[in-house]
Amino acid sequence: MAEPDEPGKKRSRVVELTEKMMVDGVTCEWAGRWNHITKFLERPGPFTHPDFEASTQSLKFLLETCKILVIGAGGLGCELLKDLALSGFRNIHVVDMDTIDVSNLNRQFLFRPKDVGQPKAKVASDYINSRVPGCCVVPHFKKIQDLDETFYRQFHIVVCGLDSIVARRWMNGMLLSLLVYEDGIINPGSIIPLIDGGTEGFKGNARVILPGMTACIDCTLELYPPQINFPMCTIATMPRLPEHCIEYVRMLLWPKETPFGDGVALDGDDPEHIQWVYQRSLERAAEFNITGVTYRLTQGVVKRIIPAVASTNAVIAAACATEVFKIASSAYVPLNNYMVFNDVDGLYTYTFEAEQKENCSACSQIPLDLHFSPSSKLQEVLDYLTESASLQMKSPAITATVKGKNKTLYLQSVASIEQRTRPNLSKTLKELELTDGQEVAVADVTTPQTMLFRLCFTS
């Protein structure tokens, strides 16, 4: 029987093995490293894609050519990076604008206590690169909106592990803007598949989007309900839930009592702020005999935290990584096109085909009709754009061509322009000299593209 390795000897052998793998700057593979992958790529089977041709070159494409972009390095992102790297994808970029918080450590396993405060993208990349020989993950510590078309055009597949609907919609719009049409037909070479994963507690979903060909994010926007806001009258006079008590303190008491000084905004990451809100919420709850107010719930309500479960992230990330492999290798038919996962009570999963909307504001290439009377005010149009379940815009800016000149009707994001265009909100469409059938352009943070709408006047 061989004697056990001493710690020093074991360490030196790992270093020796790593050095042997590197010859003239090229990563050398060890025997059998990709056996699990070649079984899928080098032989046909009963479940392979009808057009699949087994080849030894498929593995080379995965290892050397295929370029993957991962959006988000949080709960889903960490799992995605690990799964993709171990599946043979070596050219990976990851974009994330967040830094690591202590609360991330229970599920975002690429991070350690020493990493708190560091950019998620960089730490995750460094960890994967150090653990998976030959893998090169490139981090981008910035917003997705800070990167241009040239950056996104270089990738074969984009995978989203986001917790923001706005960011999903923006990424969806970016990939749609990269499509090239020839005589009204999409050039297949301009299509960059989007694999989108999402989780909330013990529920999750994974979907495959072929921009311009299948249902996009905006086609199924009704599946992402608007964020629930509690009625102010309930919060102020008739609270029934612990969340009502917390919202009362957050919305009414904080600005009234200014516990940390005038102009100090409530910071969900500041323990002193959360403790103050927690104590006042307990007092409010006791007054109405409401139970259930906890420090954790208080922080969740203040920060609008979506509950996260590590096992759900792992399942959904695995499903997304599988779809990436299927599309990159053409070995198997990809998901068509939406998978729902639920393990709240037992284990339940099913798939369905989300259908592309003919009048989708993002991918239909035709202006969406807006039905209003000439006497409707611009504020009503604005309310429709933000409250409609199929649009759910955040801060729409509306422009139109009036008497041959481009005119900004309302723009909220720039204070000086907002002040100048605010009077337009109380004017009717007729007073703004808009006509039946006229096109108006709407820009919003949910998409990089300007969307066109057509006014259809009703009597």
Side-chain angles (χ1 to χ4, degrees):
M1 180 179 295
E3 295 182 1
D5 292 331
E6 297 177 7
K9 290 183 179 179
K10 184 175 182 180
R11 179 183 176 87
S12 64
R13 288 178 183 175
V14 171
V15 173
E16 183 181 355
L17 175 61
T18 303
E19 290 175 347
K20 286 183 178 180
M21 289 163 50
M22 299 297 296
V23 180
D24 297 329
V26 179
T27 302
C28 298
E29 308 294 357
W30 56 88
R33 182 179 183 186
W34 303 114
N35 282 352
H36 62 302
I37 300 297
T38 56
K39 289 178 182 178
F40 297 106
L41 301 179
E42 297 182 5
R43 63 183 185 182
F47 301 108
T48 54
H49 194 285
D51 300 328
F52 173 69
E53 294 183 5
S55 170
T56 57
Q57 296 301 309
S58 298
L59 178 61
K60 185 177 180 181
F61 173 76
L62 259 62
L63 295 176
E64 300 178 7
T65 307
C66 191
K67 211 167 187 178
I68 307 295
L69 174 63
V70 176
I71 308 293
L76 266 178
C78 285
E79 293 280 355
L80 282 167
L81 290 170
K82 176 258 296 180
D83 291 345
L84 293 170
L86 294 177
S87 298
F89 296 98
R90 288 176 164 174
N91 299 313
I92 305 173
H93 288 237
V94 58
V95 180
D96 195 293
M97 61 175 284
D98 287 339
T99 55
I100 300 165
D101 184 72
V102 173
S103 63
N104 302 146
L105 302 181
N106 70 331
R107 63 194 181 281
Q108 298 174 23
F109 60 91
L110 298 182
F111 310 138
R112 301 292 182 268
K114 65 180 178 61
D115 301 320
V116 170
Q118 299 298 311
K120 288 184 178 181
K122 184 180 185 308
V123 175
S125 299
D126 290 344
Y127 196 96
I128 293 292
N129 292 339
S130 66
R131 290 296 297 270
V132 184
C135 188
C136 179
V137 182
V138 180
H140 301 274
F141 176 44
K142 55 182 63 180
K143 298 179 181 179
I144 55 176
Q145 293 87 348
D146 294 337
L147 299 160
D148 59 16
E149 291 186 0
T150 303
F151 172 80
Y152 291 109
R153 204 184 297 274
Q154 66 182 304
F155 298 101
H156 293 92
I157 302 172
V158 175
V159 197
C160 283
L162 294 163
D163 59 4
S164 165
I165 297 173
V166 172
R168 276 190 179 91
R169 295 178 66 186
W170 192 94
M171 197 65 242
N172 177 73
M174 171 55 72
L175 297 184
L176 287 169
S177 72
L178 299 180
L179 295 176
V180 176
Y181 289 83
E182 298 173 356
D183 297 326
I185 300 175
I186 299 175
N187 181 346
S190 65
I191 297 175
I192 301 177
L194 172 64
I195 314 299
D196 179 56
T199 65
E200 182 174 345
F202 291 98
K203 301 176 183 179
N205 66 81
R207 62 186 302 183
V208 175
I209 297 172
L210 303 178
M213 297 185 64
T214 64
C216 73
I217 296 290
D218 281 44
C219 284
T220 56
L221 200 56
E222 292 86 350
L223 296 176
Y224 304 98
Q227 183 174 297
I228 297 175
N229 291 309
F230 301 110
M232 182 60 72
C233 58
T234 300
I235 294 172
T237 60
M238 297 180 295
R240 297 184 301 276
L241 301 172
E243 290 86 352
H244 293 162
C245 301
I246 299 168
E247 283 288 85
Y248 173 83
V249 177
R250 183 184 75 85
M251 298 179 66
L252 299 176
L253 282 192
W254 181 276
K256 179 181 178 181
E257 298 189 10
T258 59
F260 293 86
D262 292 337
V264 178
L266 175 57
D267 184 355
D269 293 316
D270 189 323
E272 293 185 3
H273 289 197
I274 296 299
Q275 185 65 31
W276 187 90
V277 175
Y278 170 53
Q279 292 299 331
R280 295 298 185 277
S281 300
L282 282 175
E283 295 170 6
R284 177 77 172 172
E287 183 182 347
F288 289 89
N289 296 318
I290 297 172
T291 60
V293 174
T294 64
Y295 182 91
R296 185 171 184 177
L297 178 64
T298 302
Q299 189 176 42
V301 172
V302 170
K303 296 181 65 176
R304 294 293 193 261
I305 293 175
I306 298 173
V309 176
S311 58
T312 310
N313 287 334
V315 170
I316 297 303
C320 291
T322 300
E323 295 307 317
V324 173
F325 179 83
K326 286 155 67 174
I327 292 175
S329 66
S330 299
Y332 296 86
V333 178
L335 173 69
N336 186 28
N337 53 32
Y338 200 112
M339 185 272 285
V340 175
F341 172 83
N342 188 334
D343 62 345
V344 175
D345 298 307
L347 181 61
Y348 178 67
T349 182
Y350 70 95
T351 62
F352 68 92
E353 182 180 358
E355 297 184 358
Q356 189 175 18
K357 287 175 63 175
E358 293 183 359
N359 62 342
C360 174
S361 59
C363 70
S364 66
Q365 298 294 305
I366 58 174
L368 189 66
D369 290 343
L370 291 175
H371 296 275
F372 288 93
S373 71
S375 60
S376 298
K377 296 181 179 179
L378 186 63
Q379 180 67 61
E380 296 177 52
V381 177
L382 196 75
D383 292 342
Y384 174 77
L385 295 175
T386 55
E387 297 173 6
S388 168
S390 61
L391 295 174
Q392 297 186 35
M393 295 186 182
K394 301 302 177 183
S395 54
I398 308 175
T399 61
T401 302
V402 179
K403 294 183 177 180
K405 294 183 179 180
N406 191 43
K407 181 179 180 181
T408 299
L409 302 179
Y410 184 70
L411 192 149
Q412 183 177 347
S413 57
V414 181
S416 59
I417 301 179
E418 194 281 333
Q419 186 176 9
R420 178 169 55 83
T421 57
R422 191 185 307 162
N424 289 339
L425 295 176
S426 58
K427 294 181 180 180
T428 66
L429 302 183
K430 183 177 181 180
E431 289 172 338
L432 292 170
E433 302 180 282
L434 299 176
T435 58
D436 184 31
Q438 180 171 3
E439 291 187 354
V440 295
V442 180
D444 191 61
V445 294
T446 57
T447 175
Q449 303 181 90
T450 298
M451 291 175 284
L452 289 180
F453 294 84
R454 182 173 54 237
L455 287 175
C456 296
F457 282 169
T458 57
S459 55

